[in-house]
Amino acid sequence: MKRSSGARLGATAAVSVLSLALVTGCSESESNGDKGLGSQDDAPAAEALSAAELQKLLVAKGDVDGFTFSAVDKTEFPAEKKAITGDEKCKPLTYVMSGLAPGDAAAETNTMATEEKSPTDTASKSLEDLTEGEFEDAFGDSMNINVTVVGLSSYDGDGAEKTFKSVTDAVAACAGGFTAGSGGEEQKITKVTEKKASGTGDESVAFTLTGDMEGQEGKLQGEVVRHGNNVAAYYTMNIGALMSGKDYDIPAALIDAQAGKLK
């Protein structure tokens, strides 16, 4: 993992972009061994979408204003789960940070959404004409951009429910931190904090990952949402906020746009 980025699990890709994540009750007859009509056993098992179907449902250009979309760079993000190392119980969170399906999906796809930035007054000036204060403000503002990896995955049967539970279990079990790595390099996440989720889909969980970035504390944002037997995962980084220590969130408009395509 890239040590300055949050360990090859996303910030290096963000920097390069800025430079140019069934329960049913039993009836009385069921308790007597008679399942009856319309029971869970009679319902057809959920079937996963194909990769092609999933790709059509992935948020893209034209679905939401204010973002550009590009392919996730596999030289910066792990292409396969087998490349990922670290604490086993926390791997669902590491997968989200890597743009990979948090569970054993039948199909998955992803994209990178970069927030478009409006030009500032200082943008029209040459570097030589900027005061020291203007230069610092312009540099910080240029880096204050949310870059989000959006991943979609689809599951057979109750796979989506199990996958979502694995994420919520990891948020609780890994609250004290964990290590995550790929390519022989590891990053230390010092804390995992659950936060208010978007509330979209059938169930959702959001979390902040606090990492040690070369001795400086940095925060990364994640959310996982289950939509039936599909799971949407969001992982957002903001280099400017990482540098300044300011809070930021996964763009709500992006989550809403993706949720709308999964209804």
Side-chain angles (χ1 to χ4, degrees):
M1 294 192 279
K2 308 287 187 182
R3 64 170 185 255
S4 63
S5 70
R8 197 181 179 83
L9 298 175
T12 300
V15 171
S16 65
V17 170
L18 295 172
S19 300
L20 291 168
L22 198 56
V23 178
T24 57
C26 294
S27 65
E28 181 178 352
S29 61
E30 288 174 333
S31 66
N32 292 328
D34 179 11
K35 299 297 183 181
L37 295 176
S39 71
Q40 183 177 335
D41 286 357
D42 294 330
E47 292 186 5
L49 297 176
S50 67
E53 291 172 323
L54 205 59
Q55 182 64 42
K56 292 179 181 179
L57 293 174
L58 182 64
V59 67
K61 181 180 179 181
D63 294 325
V64 56
D65 294 331
F67 295 86
T68 58
F69 293 87
S70 60
V72 174
D73 188 347
K74 292 306 181 183
T75 65
E76 301 296 348
F77 287 78
E80 297 179 327
K81 290 180 177 178
K82 66 182 181 181
I84 293 175
T85 59
D87 298 347
E88 196 66 33
K89 68 179 181 296
C90 305
K91 280 189 175 178
L93 303 182
T94 309
Y95 296 149
V96 173
M97 294 168 66
S98 305
L100 299 172
D104 187 14
E108 62 180 290
T109 188
N110 58 29
T111 188
M112 180 178 285
T114 304
E115 192 175 36
E116 294 177 333
K117 198 72 175 177
S118 299
T120 62
D121 292 337
T122 58
S124 59
K125 295 183 180 181
S126 67
L127 292 178
E128 292 78 10
D129 294 332
L130 295 177
T131 66
E132 184 176 347
E134 286 177 334
F135 177 80
E136 291 178 355
D137 290 342
F139 179 76
D141 188 64
S142 68
M143 301 294 282
N144 188 30
I145 298 175
N146 289 316
V147 177
T148 305
V149 175
V150 183
L152 283 187
S153 51
S154 193
Y155 303 80
D156 289 315
D158 61 354
E161 288 94 331
K162 289 180 177 178
T163 292
F164 184 83
K165 184 177 185 302
S166 74
V167 175
T168 58
D169 287 349
V171 170
C174 306
F178 63 97
T179 57
S182 66
E185 299 180 42
E186 289 195 330
Q187 171 70 22
K188 177 64 178 177
I189 300 299
T190 58
K191 182 170 60 176
V192 179
T193 307
E194 185 171 357
K195 58 187 297 186
K196 184 178 180 180
S198 64
T200 56
D202 297 300
E203 46 189 347
S204 58
V205 61
F207 47 91
T208 297
L209 302 160
T210 302
D212 181 3
M213 313 291 182
E214 295 183 331
Q216 181 177 347
E217 185 179 273
K219 294 182 178 181
L220 314 167
Q221 306 297 333
E223 179 161 349
V224 173
V225 184
R226 183 178 69 81
H227 300 264
N229 63 321
N230 303 309
V231 172
Y234 307 87
Y235 169 63
T236 297
M237 296 194 58
N238 184 311
I239 299 303
L242 286 173
M243 294 169 61
S244 66
K246 294 181 179 179
D247 289 331
Y248 65 99
D249 295 304
I250 297 171
L254 197 58
I255 295 177
D256 289 343
Q258 182 59 83
K261 296 192 73 169
L262 291 169
K263 286 182 178 179

